[in-house]
């Protein structure tokens, strides 16, 4: 068994030193996932594994045998963008674009954590079953993704428009 | 990265069997893979132990048994952790980033290594933790992040974990498996002070494997919290942190658990402060005296003297919050 990347079964590397990030970029030529710091500090390499966001630079590919990896290439395509990709365009959620795939994969994983009720550093009530999709929550939960162009406000606008609205809808019910 | 062989262990016995002199256990990899890339760690074999127990189960007395492979996120989101040990959930979500918490395991978090920049700088700095006997460039270097308690002339590094500060306060026990079978160790006795062997972070022997962490039933912990002071509001290591649980009856402190992070080579259980608090009125004066008692032995370095006051104020602020007593001019 190999690793399932965007729905396709691919072989594990023979060398256990190969990171999941290098497997994606260098061997599978899926260059959407970016190498920023390569030491777990920037979030540019964020991908989804079985729906959970992780850092592919700190992941040895051999550890992910049988797991399902989704990269930015698996989220959307030209002419069929993921809603979050479209929102990033509309809200200027990037300038150079290097951190963008990681930001988007991270946000997709983030919203599942929020819906599941995973607490964050800014969650006031740990006992609450529903956590508000507030700006503070979204910002804290995206703090593992750095943007050196400083597009964070646009990024937050894009995420809030795509996912924040559901809170208001829920609150109104 | 130095070449290594990789094996996946089906259970604890298999993991211990695979462990050899140059083997390392691999959890989520968030620290070890980085250290291997920097060639600070150069294991010949990696034994992947993420297949070990990732269960959180309630023990007979109302405590929790946490499998070594439980991911940090899973521990922080667990309902019983949030209700019975809120300081632990708070400590975990104060650490690292969500992506890293999704990867990192409980045992890996415990055994992560210091982030002392001189320890990491293999090319340009001397470090007794990395190369015993080499010397320490942190002692006379940029040591703003370094230890103020329990350090030695050989090492002034701090333990970086937030989660461990809570485990130290919660009287946790570590379940171990090793060449001589299974045994248990109080969490407080796991990490070492540096002394003249700073290369040894813990008392574990080669091959020893953490299989679980047990939290005792601890009603006082239901009223507990964790406060972390850092240079930015998220995704940064602690300058100082405080894990605290407090019980107050009729204005008197009846029980307390207190531990500090960012101040020492190990998660620092503040026993002196605990003794100074018990039986005393829950007032700011008591909190200040207790904090001062704990920090009396502090030996700051060139750049980190601020931590001595910061640690005390943070302790006072947290105790005030738990006791619902106004402290520090109400600005805490």
């Amino acid at each position: 068994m190999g690793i399932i990347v965007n729905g396709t079964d691919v072989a594990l590397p023979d060398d256990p030193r190969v990171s999941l990030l290098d497997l994606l970029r260098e061997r599978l030529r899926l260059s959407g996932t970016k190498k920023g710091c390569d030491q777990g500090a920037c979030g540019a390499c964020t991908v989804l594994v079985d729906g959970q966001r992780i850092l592919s630079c700190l992941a040895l590919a051999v550890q992910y045998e049988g797991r399902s990896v989704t990269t930015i290439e698996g989220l959307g395509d030209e002419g069929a963008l993921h809603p979050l990709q479209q929102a990033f365009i509309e809200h200027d959620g990037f300038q150079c674009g290097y951190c963008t795939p990681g930001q988007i994969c991270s946000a997709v994983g983030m919203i599942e954590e929020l819906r599941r009720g995973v607490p964050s550093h800014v969650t006031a009530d740990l006992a609450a079953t529903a956590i508000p999709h507030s700006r503070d929550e979204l910002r804290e939960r995206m703090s593992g993704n750095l943007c050196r162009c400083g597009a964070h406000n646009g990024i937050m606008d894009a995420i809030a428009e795509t996912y924040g609205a559901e809170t208001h809808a829920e609150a109104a019910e | 990265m130095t070449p290594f062989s990789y094996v996946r262990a089906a259970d604890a016995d298999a993991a211990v069997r695979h462990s050899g002199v140059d083997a390392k256990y691999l959890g989520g990899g968030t620290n070890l893979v980085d250290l291997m890339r920097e060639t600070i760690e150069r294991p010949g074999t990696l034994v992947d132990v993420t297949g070990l127990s990732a269960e959180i189960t309630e023990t007979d007395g109302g405590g929790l048994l946490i499998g070594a492979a439980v991911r940090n996120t899973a521990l922080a989101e667990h309902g019983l952790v949030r209700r019975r040990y809120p300081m632990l959930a708070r400590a975990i979500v104060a650490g690292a980033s969500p992506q890293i918490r999704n990867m990192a395991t409980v045992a890996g978090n415990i055994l992560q290594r210091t982030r002392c920049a001189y320890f990491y700088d293999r090319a340009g700095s001397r470090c007794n933790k990395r190369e015993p006997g080499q010397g320490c460039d942190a002692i006379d270097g940029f040591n703003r992040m370094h230890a103020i308690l329990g350090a030695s002339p050989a090492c002034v590094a701090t333990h970086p974990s937030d989660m461990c500060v809570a485990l130290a306060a919660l009287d946790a026990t570590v379940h171990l498996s090793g060449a001589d079978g299974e045994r248990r160790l109080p969490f407080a006795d796991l990490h070492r002070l540096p002394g003249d062997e700073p290369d040894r972070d813990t008392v574990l022997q080669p091959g020893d494997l953490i299989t679980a962490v047990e939290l005792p039933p601890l009603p006082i912990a239901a009223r507990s919290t964790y406060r972390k002071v850092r240079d930015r509001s998220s995704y940064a290591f602690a300058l100082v942190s405080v894990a605290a649980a407090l019980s107050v009856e009729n204005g008197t402190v009846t029980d307390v658990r207190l531990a500090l992070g960012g101040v020492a080579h190990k998660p620092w259980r503040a026993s002196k402060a605990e003794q100074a608090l018990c039986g005393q009125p829950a007032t700011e004066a008591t909190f200040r005296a207790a904090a001062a008692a704990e920090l009396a032995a502090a030996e700051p370095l060139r750049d980190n003297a601020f931590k001595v006051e910061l640690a005390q104020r943070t302790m006072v602020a947290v105790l005030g919050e738990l006791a619902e007593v106004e402290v520090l001019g109400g600005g805490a």
Side-chain angles (χ1 to χ4, degrees), chain B:
Chain B
M1 206 183 285
T2 310
F4 59 89
S5 59
Y6 169 87
V7 289
R8 198 173 297 149
D11 54 37
D13 288 345
V16 172
R17 269 202 311 279
H18 283 302
S19 73
V21 279
D22 68 345
K24 284 260 173 202
Y25 295 123
L26 175 67
T30 58
N31 186 218
L32 182 53
V33 169
D34 188 31
L35 290 168
M36 289 168 63
R37 199 168 278 147
E38 300 287 337
T39 64
I40 294 166
E41 298 278 13
R42 297 180 295 276
T45 303
L46 277 188
V47 183
D48 185 342
V49 291
T50 54
L52 269 62
S53 168
E55 303 283 311
I56 301 173
T57 49
E58 202 173 354
T59 60
D60 286 344
L64 286 183
L65 189 66
I66 303 157
V70 171
R71 307 285 172 167
N72 285 194
T73 300
L75 186 55
E77 75 174 297
H78 195 275
L80 290 178
V81 174
R82 289 155 73 170
R83 283 198 297 279
R84 293 184 189 168
Y85 310 95
M87 71 157 78
L88 179 57
R90 293 248 178 248
I92 291 168
V93 298
S97 72
Q99 290 98 314
I100 291 173
R101 296 195 294 268
N102 283 342
M103 302 172 78
T105 62
V106 167
N109 184 318
I110 291 169
L111 295 179
Q112 67 178 300
R113 309 211 66 193
T114 185
R115 298 312 197 281
C116 172
Y118 298 95
F119 171 70
Y120 261 80
D121 181 24
R122 187 160 179 251
S125 300
R126 296 177 304 156
C127 173
N128 288 320
K129 185 179 280 298
R130 182 167 24 81
E131 300 287 344
Q134 194 178 48
C136 170
D137 279 339
I139 288 181
D140 296 313
F142 292 97
N143 44 38
R144 186 170 172 273
M145 299 298 291
H146 290 73
I148 54 172
L149 289 166
S152 76
C155 182
V156 293
T158 55
H159 193 267
S161 171
D162 292 292
M163 183 190 81
C164 287
V165 183
L167 293 181
L170 292 170
D171 301 321
T173 301
V174 179
H175 292 220
L176 299 169
S177 194
D180 301 326
E182 297 181 3
R183 66 187 201 278
R184 294 179 187 194
L185 187 70
F187 181 80
D189 297 338
L190 176 68
H191 293 96
R192 296 177 68 253
L193 290 177
D196 55 10
E197 288 184 295
D199 54 310
R200 291 179 59 216
D201 293 349
T202 69
V203 300
L204 297 185
Q205 298 299 314
D208 278 349
L209 173 72
I210 295 177
T211 56
V213 175
E214 184 170 350
L215 297 181
L218 200 64
I220 185 180
R223 185 161 181 78
S224 69
T225 194
Y226 183 78
R227 191 179 295 199
K228 180 177 184 179
V229 184
R230 44 187 160 173
D231 282 330
R232 56 185 185 209
S233 61
S234 188
Y235 202 12
F237 289 99
L239 294 167
V240 157
S241 68
V242 174
L246 185 71
S247 175
V248 176
E249 286 172 31
N250 302 320
T252 299
V253 176
T254 52
D255 201 6
V256 62
R257 297 288 186 285
L258 207 52
L260 306 177
V263 297
H265 193 260
K266 61 184 288 186
W268 189 267
R269 180 71 178 260
S271 307
K272 291 191 183 76
E274 290 180 356
Q275 283 164 24
L277 286 162
C278 276
Q280 299 299 311
T283 62
E284 178 170 2
T286 300
F287 301 157
R288 280 187 178 278
E294 192 62 50
L295 272 297
E299 293 185 58
L301 304 161
R302 186 189 72 188
D303 300 331
N304 68 3
F306 73 98
K307 282 191 179 184
V308 180
E309 181 64 25
L310 183 61
Q312 293 180 68
R313 288 188 195 175
T314 310
M315 291 166 83
V316 171
V318 167
L319 292 167
E321 177 189 328
L322 291 172
E324 296 178 353
V325 170
E326 196 167 291
V327 294
L328 302 170

Side-chain angles (χ1 to χ4, degrees), chain A residues 54-107:
Chain A
I54 66 149
L55 298 179
S56 60
C57 77
L58 293 180
L60 296 177
V62 288
Q63 276 204 292
Y64 290 83
E65 183 175 11
R67 310 284 294 277
S68 180
V69 178
T70 304
T71 69
I72 191 71
E73 291 92 341
L75 282 180
D77 214 336
E78 276 183 59
L81 295 180
H82 187 280
L84 203 52
Q85 289 176 309
Q86 189 62 43
F88 266 63
I89 293 170
E90 287 165 8
H91 291 279
D92 286 336
F94 55 88
Q95 195 178 107
C96 82
Y98 199 78
C99 73
T100 314
Q103 297 277 2
I104 290 175
C105 286
S106 184

